[in-house]
Amino acid sequence: MNDIIREIEAAQLKENAPAFNVGDTVKVYGKIREGNHERIQVYEGTVLKIQNGGNRTTFTVRKTSNGIGVEKTWPLHSPNVEKVEVVRRGKVRRAKLFYLRDRVGKRAKVKQK
């Protein structure tokens, strides 16, 4: 039973999955469907966490919009994620950057590699 599930999940993986880590600033190109029209919207922010799970791998990106922190979780292998582009690499010592939620301004920045 598990072998069948693994084969199905392996067929759904993206071959060119982007390589990024926690703390990196990324641009996520997501497909947005409005009625019959489909467009691509760019979401740029810092990667807070990556949860690995085969084809169910997700990553959370945080940005500030009009002074308010906004987080969005994206499935890595979804067809709705067109591509993920790394803007800058971050130097962090944690796997999950939840402490950035409490910080504002310069303190919310991540050091660059």
Side-chain angles (χ1 to χ4, degrees), residues 16-21 24 84 86 89:
N16 55 355
F20 59 90
N21 292 316
D24 294 350
V84 179
V86 178
R89 299 275 180 190

Side-chain angles (χ1 to χ4, degrees), residues 22 92-97 99:
V22 175
V92 293
R93 298 171 70 179
R94 304 246 177 273
K96 309 264 194 278
L97 302 181
Y99 65 89

